[in-house]
Amino acid sequence: MSENSSNNEYWAANMRIIKISLVIWALVSFGFGILLRPLLSGIPVGGTDLGFWFAQQGSILVFLGLIFFYAWRMNQLDREHGVDEE
């Protein structure tokens, strides 16, 4: 496999991870917190409804989870393509 092909595969995988992460974050923060809030209003969580919880805390927690997932997955991808740091 040529170096250019390996670079293209690496960046394609990187962009795929970024796109999936952004879609998940948008779905949780905008979708659950704003668009689907009326549907989630009857589900109690921590003294408030689930829609409000997603808007205030859930999207932040999902964002933090995505950061750790991205770092973990990129470390794996770096090792697979031989560009990892020691």
Side-chain angles (χ1 to χ4, degrees):
M1 180 178 341
S2 72
E3 183 177 331
N4 192 26
S5 175
S6 179
N7 285 343
N8 289 341
E9 289 176 15
Y10 175 80
W11 285 107
N14 185 5
M15 293 305 296
R16 187 171 45 252
I17 294 168
I18 290 172
K19 288 175 186 176
I20 291 170
S21 297
L22 286 174
V23 166
I24 291 170
W25 189 33
L27 177 68
V28 169
S29 62
F30 187 72
F32 292 165
I34 298 171
L35 297 178
L36 297 176
R37 186 164 187 261
L39 296 174
L40 301 172
S41 64
I43 303 169
V45 172
T48 187
D49 64 84
L50 187 59
F52 183 78
W53 183 84
F54 269 116
Q56 297 302 311
Q57 292 182 355
S59 60
I60 295 169
L61 295 175
V62 169
F63 179 66
L64 290 173
L66 287 171
I67 290 172
F68 286 107
F69 168 76
Y70 179 77
W72 170 76
R73 184 62 184 108
M74 284 308 297
N75 284 334
Q76 282 185 331
L77 193 62
D78 288 349
R79 280 191 296 275
E80 290 172 11
H81 290 274
V83 293
D84 59 328
E85 298 176 7
E86 293 181 35

